[in-house]
Amino acid sequence: MAYNELYQYSVVSALMEGLGDFGLPYKDLVSHGDHGLGTFRRMDGEMIALDGQVYQMKADGSIIKVDTTGGSDIAPFAQLTRFQASATADVEFKDKQGFSDALSKLLPKTKNHFVAFRVDGLFKVVAVRTAGGQFCRHENIRELHKRQTTYEFTNVRGSIIGFRSPDFLQGVGVAGDHLHFISDERDRGGHVLEVTTLEGSPVKLSAAVQSKVHLEFPEDEDYKEVNLKVDADRIRIVEG
Amino acid sequence: MAYNELYQYSVVSALMEGLGDFGLPYKDLVSHGDHGLGTFRRMDGEMIALDGQVYQMKADGSIIKVDTTGGSDIAPFAQLTRFQASATADVEFKDKQGFSDALSKLLPKTKNHFVAFRVDGLFKVVAVRTAGGQFCRHENIRELHKRQTTYEFTNVRGSIIGFRSPDFLQGVGVAGDHLHFISDERDRGGHVLEVTTLEGSPVKLSAAVQSKVHLEFPEDEDYKEVNLKVDADRIRIVEG
């Protein structure tokens, strides 16, 4: 695939309805990019892909290198691209909103586009959650996230991988900025709830607009039958 | 492009806001398929693509064969696929709802997918409208459609080309079924408002699910700045 074309499997609103039993095998998924995020069968943990490697970040704090050559794991939802930064900047921010402001400054007028981004460096605080996996088939993601594990890492070196999605595509992607984190040692990570950089110690932000988006819709019975209502408030609470 | 992968340039909600000045050149567009619909610069008429040929159906009733080898015309919005029917049936229907019911019977459980379809045969009545083009830059499509021309063709042989889009993607596509018509003689056509077949004289319906969708977002300033709210009622009135 060409650089900076976003590939997405399924839609976030299907995940919200608890559709975690089917998905694209990771061995197929990686042909679509080296930079991305997503989840695993039954929402067991958070996925991050960077530098050609895919990691499963689990609720017990463990991190597994995913076998993408022939493993059996699947992604019920994933966004991947072959990332090449079109702009970079050294930035500091106090929180996720500060990060979004920095991204909007680096790539202005991107509210109607998907944007891929990456942040590398030393962070003062990164607060994450990791989904613990469904207890039963089709368990609603609201129930699932009552059992999520949260961690707070301080003075941690690592990388954030993420995507900005347009507001009018809430439910297809997560409207706004969606960030996953992994430490340089690949021993800590998850879905970013909050993030702060150290004063006087900027991190490196790289980003690129993805104006071509390849959406793949599941062909499974569960997907065909589910009622996909866009519940913006719920997506914001669970994935924002 | 492989068969039955939908390519879409821009989103319907951008068209609703009157963004008709920019678009993809038709000579590039046709590389993405031989079956589709869309519009032209400043919404001057309705586009239909079938059997590898693109036609511009204008409000004055004239139909122009579009030069796709090097012409200067552009599509502010278009949906195209390389169509190969996965199912066909001989059907009769009294109205657009009857058509939709026939399509849902032919390809059940397609509410969460895009579907490409085609209908060929002799129709009792086909009522169409053709957009007359914007009088001024960014003229809102609601104003534009106050000047639309409508025609009613009776006992006409021809083809309908169209797409079904999921409800949860209203604003990206036109939720539900979107139909354009052209006569066998290529002398009459437009956006289908109503359609009826003759009793005892079925037409041929062919269709195929499009589970891979390639969305291309414009990179023009107008697109970057527009506020894209999904106005489902308005889209239903104007494009339904």
Side-chain angles (χ1 to χ4, degrees), chain A residues 15-219:
Chain A
L15 213 60
M16 290 290 132
E17 296 301 322
L19 270 59
D21 284 318
F22 55 84
L24 198 68
Y26 269 94
K27 63 183 164 53
D28 299 327
L29 191 63
V30 291
S31 68
H32 298 288
D34 55 13
H35 167 120
L37 50 77
T39 188
F40 294 86
R41 183 180 278 117
R42 297 203 160 191
M43 285 74 144
D44 183 14
E46 313 284 337
M47 185 273 271
I48 189 168
L50 73 173
D51 302 327
Q53 183 59 53
V54 178
Y55 298 92
Q56 180 176 16
M57 306 184 287
K58 302 187 73 165
D60 64 5
S62 66
I63 293 188
I64 297 167
K65 235 178 165 172
V66 175
D67 176 9
T68 54
T69 60
S72 63
D73 223 328
I74 53 141
F77 173 84
Q79 292 181 312
L80 273 184
T81 188
R82 200 170 158 215
F83 183 64
Q84 190 174 54
S86 69
T88 58
D90 291 329
V91 297
E92 294 182 29
F93 44 85
K94 284 188 180 157
D95 51 19
K96 269 174 91 172
Q97 184 56 51
F99 161 76
S100 288
D101 295 344
L103 179 59
S104 296
K105 196 178 160 196
L106 181 65
L107 287 180
K109 299 183 186 173
T110 49
K111 67 176 177 177
N112 294 328
H113 284 95
F114 286 89
V115 177
F117 55 80
R118 176 172 178 154
V119 194
D120 299 282
L122 175 65
F123 298 89
K124 185 178 176 187
V125 180
V126 184
V128 304
R129 74 107 203 280
T130 45
Q134 290 172 308
F135 275 5
C136 57
R137 192 173 136 86
H138 291 188
E139 186 181 24
N140 186 296
I141 212 162
R142 189 185 283 163
E143 290 305 310
L144 177 73
H145 281 293
K146 286 181 185 165
R147 296 194 308 274
Q148 71 184 14
T149 312
T150 57
Y151 295 98
E152 193 172 288
F153 313 128
T154 52
N155 296 313
V156 59
R157 272 193 187 279
S159 300
I160 289 168
I161 296 285
F163 296 98
R164 168 169 291 186
S165 303
D167 278 352
F168 71 93
L169 286 174
Q170 179 66 295
V172 175
V174 177
D177 298 328
H178 186 184
L179 296 69
H180 284 192
F181 170 82
I182 193 164
S183 65
D184 274 4
E185 284 79 18
R186 309 298 188 236
D187 59 353
R188 285 174 288 176
H191 169 101
V192 177
L193 299 172
E194 202 45 275
V195 56
T196 313
T197 60
L198 285 158
E199 249 189 85
S201 170
V203 291
K204 187 186 164 199
L205 167 62
S206 353
V209 169
Q210 316 280 300
S211 61
K212 293 184 184 176
V213 176
H214 309 283
L215 278 177
E216 184 162 352
F217 295 87
E219 301 204 41

Side-chain angles (χ1 to χ4, degrees), chain B residues 67-86:
Chain B
D67 176 8
T68 54
T69 60
S72 64
D73 223 328
I74 52 140
F77 173 84
Q79 292 181 310
L80 273 183
T81 188
R82 200 170 158 217
F83 182 64
Q84 191 175 52
S86 69

Side-chain angles (χ1 to χ4, degrees), chain B:
Chain B
M1 188 180 268
Y3 285 114
N4 295 326
E5 297 194 3
L6 177 63
Y7 169 85
Q8 180 175 319
Y9 180 81
S10 194
V11 293
V12 162
S13 52
L15 212 61
M16 292 289 130
E17 296 301 322
L19 269 58
D21 285 319
F22 55 84
L24 198 68
Y26 269 95
K27 62 181 163 56
D28 299 329
L29 191 62
V30 290
S31 68
H32 298 288
D34 54 13
H35 166 120
L37 50 77
T39 188
F40 293 87
R41 184 181 277 115
R42 296 201 161 194
M43 286 71 143
D44 184 14
E46 311 285 337
M47 184 272 271
I48 189 168
L50 73 174
D51 301 327
Q53 182 59 54
V54 178
Y55 299 91
Q56 180 177 17
M57 306 184 287
K58 302 187 73 164
D60 65 4
S62 66
I63 292 188
I64 296 166
K65 234 177 164 172
V66 176
D67 176 8
T68 54
T69 60
S72 64
D73 223 328
I74 52 140
F77 173 84
Q79 292 181 310
L80 273 183
T81 188
R82 200 170 158 217
F83 182 64
Q84 191 175 52
S86 69
T88 59
D90 291 329
V91 296
E92 293 182 32
F93 44 86
K94 284 188 178 158
D95 51 20
K96 270 174 90 171
Q97 184 56 51
F99 161 75
S100 289
D101 294 344
L103 179 59
S104 296
K105 196 178 159 195
L106 182 65
L107 288 180
K109 299 184 186 173
T110 49
K111 67 176 178 178
N112 294 328
H113 284 93
F114 287 89
V115 177
F117 55 81
R118 176 173 178 154
V119 193
D120 298 283
L122 174 65
F123 297 90
K124 184 177 177 186
V125 181
V126 185
V128 304
R129 74 106 201 280
T130 46
Q134 290 172 309
F135 276 3
C136 58
R137 192 174 136 85
H138 290 188
E139 186 182 25
N140 186 295
I141 212 161
R142 192 184 281 164
E143 291 305 310
L144 177 73
H145 281 293
K146 287 180 185 164
R147 297 193 309 276
Q148 71 183 15
T149 311
T150 57
Y151 295 99
E152 193 172 288
F153 313 128
T154 51
N155 297 313
V156 60
R157 272 194 187 277
S159 300
I160 289 168
I161 296 285
F163 295 98
R164 168 169 290 184
S165 303
D167 279 352
F168 72 92
L169 286 173
Q170 179 65 295
V172 175
V174 177
D177 297 329
H178 186 185
L179 295 70
H180 283 192
F181 170 82
I182 193 164
S183 65
D184 274 4
E185 284 79 16
R186 308 298 188 237
D187 60 352
R188 286 173 288 176
H191 169 102
V192 176
L193 299 172
E194 202 44 274
V195 57
T196 313
T197 60
L198 286 159
E199 248 189 86
S201 169
V203 291
K204 187 187 163 198
L205 167 61
S206 355
V209 169
Q210 316 280 298
S211 61
K212 293 183 183 178
V213 176
H214 309 282
L215 278 176
E216 184 161 354
F217 295 89
E219 301 205 38
D220 305 76
E221 287 301 310
D222 288 351
Y223 177 78
K224 287 180 184 170
E225 290 180 7
V226 69
N227 284 318
L228 295 175
K229 304 161 299 295
V230 177
D231 186 343
D233 291 338
R234 198 163 137 211
I235 296 173
R236 215 169 286 125
I237 290 164
V238 173
E239 296 290 345

